[in-house]
Amino acid sequence: LCVANIEATCASNNKVFGFTFAKNGTPIGTFHISERFDVGGSNYSVSFTALIPTAANDTISVYARNETDTTALTASNITLSAIGFIR
């Protein structure tokens, strides 16, 4: 179980940012979410969770991209937590 919490801002109004998990550097499209940042300069919080099967030495990361234009996203805090289950 992977959980990501992101606190971020952007400089412009009405921008849509996409967030997803990546395993070993490859984005996992089935876990993609989009969030609209309506007011530039305001702080926004985004959280998302996914069950991601992993093996020894796999890496999990969070990807973010602007789906509107090239305005940058500035993350002030990112927390990525992973909990393993034994089957």
Side-chain angles (χ1 to χ4, degrees):
L1 177 68
C2 295
V3 179
N5 297 299
I6 301 168
E7 296 173 22
T9 186
C10 72
S12 300
N13 297 337
N14 301 316
K15 303 300 176 191
V16 177
F17 291 92
F19 300 90
T20 190
F21 289 107
K23 183 166 92 171
N24 300 323
T26 303
I28 305 170
T30 55
F31 301 121
H32 177 87
I33 64 166
S34 294
E35 288 292 324
R36 182 182 196 90
F37 286 41
D38 291 325
V39 179
S42 294
N43 289 319
Y44 289 86
S45 294
V46 178
S47 295
F48 54 105
T49 304
L51 287 172
I52 302 172
T54 58
N57 299 317
D58 280 348
T59 60
I60 302 296
S61 52
V62 174
Y63 279 22
R65 72 173 184 169
N66 187 327
E67 297 178 345
T68 309
D69 56 24
T70 59
T71 302
L73 175 74
T74 302
S76 57
N77 190 18
I78 298 175
T79 304
L80 175 59
S81 303
I83 301 169
F85 298 100
I86 299 173
R87 298 192 307 172

